Amino acid sequence: MKIHYFQRYHSKENVSTGNTMLLISRLYHYSPSKFHTFLNSLVGGELQDFETDVVFDMQFKSGKSVPDGQIKQNSFNIVIETKLGKDFDIIQIQNHLKAFKNEDYQVMLTLNPYSMTSTQEAAVKMAVEAENNTFSKNIKHIHASFESIISLISDVIDYRDFEFNDILDDYRVCCSHEGLLSNRERMMRAVTVGRTYEDNLKYKLYYDPAVRGYSEHGFLALYKNKGIKAIGKIINIIEADEINGNLVIKSSTTAVTIEQQTNILAAVESSKTYGWNVERDHKFFCVDQFVETDFMKASKFPLQGTKFFDLDLLIGTGVEKSVMKIATLLNGTTWQ
């Protein structure tokens, strides 16, 4: 049974806010330095001198005296306002600004699945400037989407952060379940394969245990030998069991074709040669075709588990998102 870190099956804004706060607080307690990097990235580098770590000083000068030591930590306050729709209530934002007192670093974070309109952004900026000028505060307004939170945290952790990768994956799946991610179709999920690579290409699919969660994505990338070697566009996700040579379909995102049934049965049979048992309780991610490429990982550590890529960030927002185009543009390039 899959253990979830974050609440599900609710659509209330306070649940989404609570889950996001829990994610960020877990990052802070997991690694203050990585939290520091995340927060600076979130605010666009505006808090370059921001330090979240506890500082230990010996024999430092303080005015006219030199105490033997000091333990200190800067204070910060992040106030979050979440809307699942596109509009924020400016009066509500103005009231939230009163929550800031004398903290060293003050961030008003608005959070929803969308980009903030220029009109809304100008209104919030005016409210923040009025509060800062009137009460000598130093509030920074930052708007973020659930996608950007996931992306920024993904950037500060690596494959060795096994526990936190599980936490982030569960947050991603939770956001996907609640419909908070708007970039699902342009997301590419890299998965690790080895001996099955030729089967993946031949049968145009990838399989995973059905209990393993995933956030919705439009493209699948096969990773082996320190690089992404093939990319396919997902056309169906099928949960099925093989019983006495027949395929019993439990669920699918679209109608299952004869070709997909034949490929799944062949892949199940082939998996036995690797000592695996995928006859029961597996999902099969079927693609139209896999196009081979050579998109190499530049950093020395190999990929373990999965990694999501936003194709808009990889190849551009106005670029055609066909598998052939993506594979061609990424071929011979690198990623960290």
Side-chain angles (χ1 to χ4, degrees):
M1 179 179 178
K2 174 71 174 177
I3 302 243
H4 297 301
Y5 298 93
F6 301 98
Q7 294 187 58
R8 281 160 166 74
Y9 313 114
H10 297 279
S11 58
K12 295 180 180 179
E13 290 164 355
N14 59 349
V15 173
S16 299
T17 304
N19 285 344
T20 303
M21 290 177 64
L22 178 58
L23 175 70
I24 295 173
S25 68
R26 279 179 174 269
L27 179 63
Y28 174 71
H29 290 291
Y30 178 77
S31 171
S33 65
K34 292 186 178 185
F35 170 81
H36 176 203
T37 303
F38 157 74
L39 196 58
N40 255 319
S41 298
L42 179 68
V43 301
E46 293 185 35
L47 305 181
Q48 289 297 326
D49 296 327
F50 177 50
E51 292 291 345
T52 57
D53 295 341
V54 176
V55 177
F56 297 83
D57 282 336
M58 295 289 293
Q59 294 288 322
F60 71 100
K61 186 175 182 179
S62 176
K64 296 181 179 180
S65 66
V66 183
D68 291 326
Q70 179 186 47
I71 301 174
K72 67 177 180 178
Q73 185 177 30
N74 290 331
S75 64
F76 60 92
N77 188 3
I78 304 173
V79 176
I80 302 175
E81 172 60 17
T82 303
K83 291 295 181 188
L84 301 187
K86 293 186 176 182
D87 295 326
F88 287 86
D89 185 337
I90 296 302
I91 300 299
Q92 192 175 38
I93 296 290
Q94 290 173 334
N95 291 333
H96 290 339
L97 298 177
K98 303 299 180 185
F100 296 101
K101 303 302 181 184
N102 299 310
E103 302 87 6
D104 296 322
Y105 302 97
Q106 304 170 333
V107 178
M108 178 71 232
L109 176 63
T110 50
L111 179 68
N112 76 352
Y114 315 99
S115 298
M116 182 173 277
T117 66
S118 56
T119 302
Q120 282 260 296
E121 192 169 4
V124 175
K125 181 179 180 181
M126 185 178 298
V128 169
E129 287 179 349
E131 184 74 13
N132 286 341
N133 293 334
T134 303
F135 299 100
S136 300
K137 296 180 180 179
N138 190 33
I139 304 167
K140 304 286 186 183
H141 168 241
I142 301 299
H143 179 73
S145 66
F146 297 94
E147 295 163 7
S148 64
I149 295 292
I150 292 170
S151 178
L152 289 172
I153 292 181
S154 294
D155 288 343
V156 303
I157 60 176
D158 60 40
Y159 87 94
R160 293 166 296 182
D161 299 313
F162 299 113
E163 180 182 355
F164 206 88
N165 272 301
D166 285 343
I167 293 171
L168 184 59
D169 283 345
D170 192 55
Y171 178 79
R172 182 188 285 112
V173 171
C174 183
C175 288
S176 178
H177 179 272
E178 298 296 341
L180 302 178
L181 306 180
S182 61
N183 65 347
R184 289 168 285 182
E185 281 304 307
R186 69 174 189 262
M187 294 302 292
M188 180 175 73
R189 180 170 69 126
V191 295
T192 55
V193 298
R195 291 176 295 169
T196 65
Y197 179 72
E198 295 301 330
D199 282 359
N200 297 131
L201 296 184
K202 181 178 180 180
Y203 302 122
K204 299 187 287 189
L205 56 75
Y206 171 81
Y207 45 77
D208 241 352
V211 295
R212 185 170 295 166
Y214 67 94
S215 60
E216 296 180 40
H217 51 290
F219 296 85
L220 197 63
L222 304 180
Y223 171 96
K224 70 166 190 169
N225 298 333
K226 287 283 290 171
I228 289 172
K229 302 301 183 181
I231 297 170
K233 181 172 176 57
I234 296 173
I235 56 175
N236 207 352
I237 302 174
I238 303 165
E239 183 178 350
D241 291 340
E242 183 270 318
I243 301 176
N244 298 324
N246 297 311
L247 197 65
V248 178
I249 308 296
K250 295 181 175 180
S251 65
S252 64
T253 53
T254 63
V256 181
T257 67
I258 297 298
E259 180 187 15
Q260 289 167 1
Q261 293 185 53
T262 301
N263 285 342
I264 290 173
L265 286 170
V268 169
E269 186 64 27
S270 182
S271 73
K272 297 174 184 177
T273 65
Y274 309 121
W276 297 344
N277 179 6
V278 302
E279 294 100 319
R280 302 284 192 280
D281 303 319
H282 274 70
K283 281 190 172 75
F284 298 85
F285 296 79
C286 301
V287 303
D288 52 357
Q289 63 174 328
F290 277 116
V291 177
E292 292 191 281
T293 188
D294 193 21
F295 184 33
M296 295 299 295
K297 191 174 189 295
S299 53
K300 67 177 182 177
F301 299 109
L303 178 67
Q304 295 191 6
T306 64
K307 179 176 177 62
F308 283 83
F309 295 88
D310 187 331
L311 290 172
D312 274 0
L313 298 179
L314 278 182
I315 64 174
T317 56
V319 179
E320 173 194 354
K321 300 298 189 296
S322 70
V323 175
M324 188 63 70
K325 186 71 171 180
I326 296 166
T328 300
L329 290 174
L330 296 183
N331 190 46
T333 63
T334 63
W335 53 282
Q336 296 296 321

